[in-house]
Amino acid sequence: MSLTSIDAELLRNAFLAGAHNISNNKEYINELNVFPVPDGDTGTNMTLTIMSAASEIEAVEKPTIDLLAKAISGGSLRGARGNSGVILSQLFRGFCKDVRGKETLDVNDLTAGFARAVETAYKAVMKPKEGTILTVARGMFEKAEEICDFEDDVIAFIEQVLDYGNEVLAQTPDLLPVLKEAGVVDSGGQGLVEFMRGALAGLKGEKIELIETMPSAPMRGAGLLEEIPTARPKYPMGSGNDNISTADIKFGYCTEFIIMLEKELSDKEVEDFKEYLLSIGDSLVCVADEELVKVHVHTNHPGLAFEKALTFGALTRMKIDNMREEHSERVLIEAEKQRAEEQEAAFKQMKLERKGETAKKEPVAETPKKKYGFIAVSVGDGMCEILKGMGIDHVLSGGQTMNPSTEDILFAVGAVNAENVFVFPNNKNIILAANQAASICDDKNVIVIPSKSVPQGISAMLNFMEGASVEDNTANMKEAMETVKSGEVTYAVRDTSIDGKEIKNGDIMGISDKGIDAVGSDIVAVTTELIGGMVDEDSALCTLYYGADITEEAAETLSAQLSEKYPDMEFEIHNGGQPIYYYLLSVE
């Protein structure tokens, strides 16, 4: 078939087909991850990111390229998870910025969009690394630029771009030695190729059905492996409670919708809109950018919320759930209540920032805004208690088992009533999403301290000084973080080879800041070997946070053994309660 231009309907079909193809191949993409750890992998993160955008464009009733560009850009930006997801969202963001305002797209428009996409994505990464999704994206653009003057058939054009993308992908192991050793291509690059392959099929009129599967990761416990879902609600789910009365549900309708803005709202208009919604309900989540507003509110009058929203633009993705009815059927149970509490706290704090004003109904006592607030990402009841005991205002559930999205981090920032909010990602795969959230937030000064582990975040927090300036505290915390050696003990979920070590599925691994330092079949032996590689003549303290699969007695026994082996060092143990990782530890 021949095709000289793409209209809005074709663009939507292509994007959805590409999104579905990533989702359908996410486990294959996950398998390409070099580190065989049981965490939120590339395929899962890219799927959650792109399906956030897909759900936005599916709701566009009368598509134009402009409306689709807004939906793709906004949906992927807020839904971005992990480094791969953030980079993918930036590729889409750049492409969408360039194609807005056009009625159709030809090969020259696509080439210009690819150029803007690559430029935007490279700028989003502080230290771009070749041999990754960035390299594959740049290769596709370079091929597009090479052939756009000679090829006007969109199908033939995309076929050649995709073929060259596959060639560049095959070369990624030559650019990153760790890929060559593991015998894999870059997983993020593979994800991008899967998207382009699906998009091409969509342009050809082929329909790629979405295979509805929940991503999962193996959890080791009591000597057995069992499958547990890694997908989670935005906020930690509590245990069910059949005794909650429907009378406790003050606002009975969970109301959600998106406003496709006719024009960008000013900061005051956004705040006034939030104030109005809070006057007729609670549990407000209202995320606005220059093109659309996403709203979630509990209210007894959904029609009033819709009418007010219609003054700003057209509505889409409107959904109303009767929470009292659903509660009696145990659909929402405690998870809905907890999510409501989190979101209500977040946005009531936002409301209180308007000096001297409260909601028209139910005045809320205004609490003074602090100069500093703190958010940390972690998982495990014990670890959360430790962080809150240190002064962390909001612990965002996530980390190794699931990377929180940009929107999750924005919600957490909204929950902290402070002028300056420090964010500790505590995982290298969350730093980009945190930076993206900081760049979007315009009503607070958000500072990301790029901690790659919980121990690093704890060390940084210990060096915060209340009377110091933002700049001095930032410098002090970053400096303190760099003096901590971090380690973690977990298990392998696939066979691979890394750093000269052959690793089999189920092996215990000790991972330091430098890489995988110890591999074996015994948790104690691997932990001891890992610590041995981290300790030097200047080491004075080792702190161990034991996970959900380790008993306090086992941790105390290990601490005693280590104290005997290193008599000049102090060893501390704490109940972290984290899943998947038997021990998180630090040496300083």
Side-chain angles (χ1 to χ4, degrees), residues 32 136 164-173 184-191 193:
L32 296 175
V136 178
Y164 189 68
N166 269 309
E167 290 181 27
V168 176
L169 178 65
Q171 296 167 9
T172 55
V184 296
V185 296
D186 178 68
S187 55
Q190 183 70 57
V193 165

Side-chain angles (χ1 to χ4, degrees), residues 127-370:
K127 295 181 180 179
K129 184 180 295 185
E130 297 304 331
T132 66
I133 182 177
L134 292 171
T135 305
V136 178
R138 193 184 69 236
M140 288 183 178
F141 156 64
E142 289 172 349
K143 186 64 175 180
E145 189 177 41
E146 175 188 328
I147 65 174
C148 66
D149 292 335
F150 309 101
E151 180 61 74
D152 59 3
D153 179 17
V154 172
I155 299 296
F157 172 79
I158 296 295
E159 286 176 338
Q160 294 177 67
V161 169
L162 176 59
D163 286 343
Y164 189 68
N166 269 309
E167 290 181 27
V168 176
L169 178 65
Q171 296 167 9
T172 55
D174 297 324
L175 298 172
L176 277 179
V178 67
L179 295 176
K180 182 180 286 289
E181 183 180 7
V184 296
V185 296
D186 178 68
S187 55
Q190 183 70 57
L192 182 59
V193 165
E194 295 300 338
F195 170 76
M196 290 294 290
R197 183 176 288 120
L200 177 60
L203 289 175
K204 291 180 177 180
E206 302 172 20
K207 189 172 180 63
I208 297 181
E209 297 290 346
L210 181 64
I211 301 172
E212 295 289 351
T213 58
M214 294 295 289
S216 63
M219 168 72 79
R220 178 180 289 271
L224 299 174
L225 284 175
E226 57 181 341
E227 290 295 309
I228 61 168
T230 59
R232 58 165 178 81
K234 288 186 185 301
Y235 296 97
M237 181 176 289
S239 59
N241 187 345
D242 293 328
N243 297 319
I244 300 174
S245 168
T246 56
D248 293 334
I249 301 177
K250 185 173 183 179
F251 296 100
Y253 296 97
C254 177
T255 306
E256 298 181 5
F257 55 91
I258 291 173
I259 310 172
M260 311 298 288
L261 294 174
E262 294 176 354
K263 64 181 182 66
E264 183 178 355
L265 299 182
S266 67
D267 291 344
K268 186 177 187 306
E269 287 174 318
V270 172
E271 289 305 315
D272 286 347
F273 182 46
K274 290 177 182 177
E275 182 76 16
Y276 174 78
L277 293 173
L278 283 170
S279 75
I280 63 171
D282 66 4
S283 303
L284 174 64
V285 175
C286 181
V287 180
D289 62 18
E290 67 271 17
E291 294 145 355
L292 53 85
V293 180
K294 187 173 183 179
V295 175
H296 164 284
V297 66
H298 292 177
T299 178
N300 289 327
H301 303 286
L304 294 178
F306 289 152
E307 287 179 14
K308 183 68 173 179
L310 282 168
T311 64
F312 303 121
L315 303 188
T316 186
R317 291 195 68 195
M318 294 173 286
K319 184 168 77 74
I320 303 173
D321 292 323
N322 186 328
M323 293 191 296
R324 294 187 178 96
E325 181 179 293
E326 290 187 346
H327 176 86
S328 65
E329 298 171 0
R330 298 194 72 236
V331 175
L332 296 180
I333 50 170
E334 188 70 11
E336 178 64 30
K337 182 181 177 183
Q338 186 164 352
R339 183 178 71 163
E341 290 172 352
E342 293 276 0
Q343 295 177 347
E344 180 180 5
F347 287 92
K348 278 190 176 180
Q349 292 288 9
M350 286 185 178
K351 184 186 72 172
L352 291 175
E353 292 175 7
R354 303 186 66 195
K355 294 183 179 179
E357 296 185 19
T358 59
K360 295 177 183 177
K361 296 182 181 180
E362 298 185 29
V364 180
E366 184 169 348
T367 57
K369 180 182 288 187
K370 302 188 297 181

Side-chain angles (χ1 to χ4, degrees), residues 306-495:
F306 289 152
E307 287 179 14
K308 183 68 173 179
L310 282 168
T311 64
F312 303 121
L315 303 188
T316 186
R317 291 195 68 195
M318 294 173 286
K319 184 168 77 74
I320 303 173
D321 292 323
N322 186 328
M323 293 191 296
R324 294 187 178 96
E325 181 179 293
E326 290 187 346
H327 176 86
S328 65
E329 298 171 0
R330 298 194 72 236
V331 175
L332 296 180
I333 50 170
E334 188 70 11
E336 178 64 30
K337 182 181 177 183
Q338 186 164 352
R339 183 178 71 163
E341 290 172 352
E342 293 276 0
Q343 295 177 347
E344 180 180 5
F347 287 92
K348 278 190 176 180
Q349 292 288 9
M350 286 185 178
K351 184 186 72 172
L352 291 175
E353 292 175 7
R354 303 186 66 195
K355 294 183 179 179
E357 296 185 19
T358 59
K360 295 177 183 177
K361 296 182 181 180
E362 298 185 29
V364 180
E366 184 169 348
T367 57
K369 180 182 288 187
K370 302 188 297 181
K371 181 177 181 180
Y372 294 117
F374 307 91
I375 294 169
V377 181
S378 186
V379 67
D381 292 341
M383 196 64 74
C384 290
E385 288 181 12
I386 291 169
L387 291 167
K388 288 182 177 179
M390 297 177 63
I392 298 294
D393 296 289
H394 188 102
V395 179
L396 182 59
S397 180
Q400 298 295 356
T401 55
M402 177 61 71
N403 301 143
S405 69
T406 297
E407 191 170 56
D408 291 336
I409 297 170
L410 282 172
F411 284 163
V413 170
V416 180
N417 187 26
E419 298 175 8
N420 307 285
V421 181
F422 289 99
V423 179
F424 304 95
N426 294 338
N427 185 292
K428 65 181 180 181
N429 207 34
I430 302 174
I431 294 173
L432 277 182
N435 287 335
Q436 187 154 277
S439 69
I440 295 173
C441 185
D442 57 5
D443 61 343
K444 295 178 183 178
N445 181 30
V446 180
I447 309 99
V448 177
I449 304 298
S451 53
K452 298 178 181 179
S453 67
V454 174
Q456 281 191 351
I458 289 175
S459 177
M461 187 63 189
L462 285 171
N463 282 269
F464 168 77
M465 295 183 293
E466 184 66 40
S469 66
V470 173
E471 294 75 18
D472 286 345
N473 268 317
T474 301
N476 290 339
M477 288 191 285
K478 286 183 176 180
E479 182 179 354
M481 183 180 70
E482 295 300 324
T483 65
V484 177
K485 299 176 184 178
S486 300
E488 50 200 27
V489 181
T490 186
Y491 56 92
V493 296
R494 66 180 76 93
D495 296 350

Side-chain angles (χ1 to χ4, degrees), residues 41-82:
D41 285 327
T42 301
T44 301
N45 284 333
M46 294 184 82
T47 294
L48 292 170
T49 299
I50 200 168
M51 292 309 294
S52 175
S55 66
E56 300 282 355
I57 72 167
E58 284 178 325
V60 179
E61 296 179 359
K62 296 181 180 180
T64 64
I65 287 179
D66 201 42
L67 287 177
L68 294 178
K70 293 175 182 178
I72 292 169
S73 179
S76 62
L77 185 71
R78 290 186 297 277
R81 297 176 188 267

